Amino acid sequence: MSRIFSRIAGTGSYLPARVMTNAELAQRLDTSDQWIEERTGIRQRHIAEQSQASSELALAASRRAIEASGLQAQAIDLIIVATSTPDYVFPSTACLLQAKLGIANCPAFDVQAVCSGFVYGLATADNFIRAGAAKHALVVGAEVFSRILDWNDRGTCVLFGDGAGAVVLSACDRPGIHASVLRADGRHAGILSVPGNLCGGKIVGSPFLQMQGNQVFKLAVKVLDEVAHEVLAAAGMQVAEVDWLIPHQANVRIMEATAKKLGLPRDKLVVTVDRHGNTSAASVPLALDESVRAGKIRPGQRVMLQGVGGGFTWGATLVTM
Ligand code: UT7
C-alpha cells in the first residue's frame, strides 16, 4: 500500500494597510528608532483597524492560499487556525473563518500555542492527512496582538504587529512535510503571558501581554537549536540539506544566533521581522508566503520552519516545497 504524505499546495498572507514606524512610537514613548532596531531588528509593524478581527485577516490570507493552490474553497476538508487573539472566547476563529469562506461540514478548530501555533497547526494537519482523515487542509496563523499590548509599556509594545498567513496542505504520494517535532514546558508559563480571564462580566487578572524579555531570549535561543537538531534527526537529514530557515520572527538577534549555532549561512535565513514585527502565530506563514511570492523560495527547495513562544512552546517542521 502506498504511503500518504502532505505537501504545501499554496501559500497566502495578509497585512493590514496601516504601518506604524519606530519613529512614530518614539514620539510618545521613552524609546528610539535606534534602540528598537539595534535590539530587535524591527523597523516597522502593521496594525489592524478596530473593525478587523483575526478572522478577517485570516480570510484574506486564506483566499490567497486557496487561489495559489488552484483548488476551490469547497475542496478544503479541514481548517486549523492558530491564534492567541481570537475574535471571541467562542466560537473558534476557525469556525468563523469557515463560514466566511462559504464552506461547511469539515472539522474546524483553533490551536493555541502562541508564537509556535502555526508549526503546531501544520504538524496537526500533516497527521490528519497522513492518517487519511483529510485531503486538503487549510492551516492559518492570524493575530491582532495590537489589542493585547499595553501601549505604555516600552518593553513589549514596540515588539509586536498584526497579520495573517495561510497554507493549503494537500495529500501527496511523496513529502512535502518530512518531519515535525513539537515541544512544550509549562513550567515556564510565567515568562510570557496574558494572565487574565473573563469572569462574571469582568476581566480578572491582566488583559495585557507581560514578558521577561531576557529569559524568553535565552530560552528561545536554546530550544530553537535543540529542536532544529531533533527535526533533522527525525527526517534523517543534515543541516547542509536545508535551503532556507524560517524561524519565528521575534528578534533578528535570536534568529541569527540560531542560524550561527546550526552552522547555517546568514543568507539562508528568512527575515521579515524588520517590516512585520513579531506577529506571533502569523509570523512563519507570512514569511513563507512572502518568500514564495518573491521567487526566493522555489519548488523543490527544503525549508525548516520553527516556532517558539508562550507556554513555553516550541517546534520545528522540515518541508520540501
Ligand atoms: O514571540 C515570543 C518570543 N519573544 C521573544 O523572543 C522576545 C525575546 N526577548 C527580546 O527580544 C529582548 O529581550 C528584548 C528586545 C525584549 C529586550 O532586549 P534586551 O537586550 O534583552 O534588553 P533588556 O530587557 O535587558 O533591557 C535593557 C534596557 C533596560 O534598561 P536598564 O534597566 O538597563 O536601564 C530596559 O528598560 O533597555 C530598556 N528598554 C528600552 N529602552 C528603550 C526596554 N525596552 C526599551 C525600549 N526602548 N523600547
Side-chain angles (χ1 to χ4, degrees):
M1 212 178 77
S2 65
R3 286 180 66 193
I4 309 173
F5 298 95
S6 70
R7 70 175 184 95
I8 294 177
T11 67
S13 61
Y14 173 79
L15 287 162
R18 159 105 165 88
V19 171
M20 186 184 283
T21 61
N22 292 348
E24 190 181 337
L25 284 164
Q27 280 171 9
R28 52 179 182 76
L29 275 175
D30 183 15
T31 189
S32 65
D33 177 37
Q34 191 191 356
W35 190 95
I36 300 169
E37 181 154 11
E38 276 179 14
R39 305 310 295 164
T40 70
I42 298 168
R43 289 189 280 116
Q44 62 171 52
R45 70 287 292 143
H46 292 249
I47 304 292
E49 298 295 330
Q50 276 302 318
S51 60
Q52 289 180 301
S54 286
S55 66
E56 280 299 308
L57 275 53
L59 177 64
S62 299
R63 283 195 172 133
R64 288 173 187 166
I66 293 168
E67 190 186 4
S69 74
L71 295 167
Q72 298 294 316
Q74 275 65 28
I76 299 297
D77 55 9
L78 170 66
I79 299 176
I80 301 177
V81 175
T83 186
S84 298
T85 47
D87 292 27
Y88 304 124
V89 173
F90 68 81
S92 70
T93 305
C95 284
L96 300 175
L97 173 64
Q98 186 196 43
K100 286 178 182 181
L101 283 168
I103 56 180
N105 292 327
C106 72
F109 58 89
D110 287 1
V111 160
Q112 219 285 30
V114 201
C115 303
S116 310
F118 181 76
V119 171
Y120 265 64
L122 199 63
T124 305
D126 177 48
N127 280 320
F128 265 78
I129 289 174
R130 282 174 191 254
K135 280 199 167 65
H136 302 291
L138 177 65
V139 185
V140 189
E143 302 278 18
V144 284
F145 258 52
S146 60
R147 313 258 161 97
I148 54 167
L149 299 174
D150 174 354
W151 286 96
N152 294 313
D153 176 13
R154 68 176 184 172
T156 53
C157 77
V158 304
L159 305 173
F160 295 89
D162 302 336
V167 304
V168 172
L169 202 63
S170 291
C172 190
D173 56 9
R174 62 187 189 286
I177 293 186
H178 298 276
S180 297
V181 172
L182 303 179
R183 299 276 181 253
D185 186 347
R187 289 174 299 178
H188 302 292
I191 63 174
L192 179 52
S193 63
V194 180
N197 62 54
L198 297 176
C199 183
K202 291 199 178 85
I203 294 161
V204 178
S206 169
F208 295 126
L209 183 146
Q210 300 177 2
M211 180 169 71
Q212 306 297 326
N214 268 328
Q215 291 180 44
V216 172
F217 192 106
K218 280 185 208 143
L219 195 54
V221 171
K222 177 176 170 286
V223 299
L224 287 175
D225 182 52
E226 283 171 8
V227 82
H229 289 288
E230 285 178 294
V231 80
L232 282 166
M237 288 178 193
Q238 305 296 319
V239 178
E241 295 173 82
V242 176
D243 296 300
W244 297 102
L245 175 64
I246 307 186
H248 168 50
Q249 307 283 313
N251 185 322
V252 77
R253 292 188 294 137
I254 296 177
M255 293 186 260
E256 286 176 351
T258 303
K260 195 173 170 193
K261 275 180 131 183
L262 260 180
L264 208 67
R266 173 65 170 78
D267 59 6
K268 291 189 171 190
L269 184 63
V270 174
V271 176
T272 54
V273 73
D274 54 333
R275 287 157 293 121
H276 301 171
N278 179 348
T279 58
S280 192
S283 90
V284 169
L286 259 164
L288 176 66
D289 180 54
E290 195 179 280
S291 305
V292 166
R293 284 175 194 263
K296 190 164 147 178
I297 294 183
R298 296 187 305 276
Q301 289 192 319
R302 196 156 294 147
V303 186
M304 187 188 291
L305 308 173
Q306 290 186 315
V308 62
F312 213 69
T313 57
W314 64 100
T317 294
L318 256 178
V319 56
T320 296
M321 297 299 292

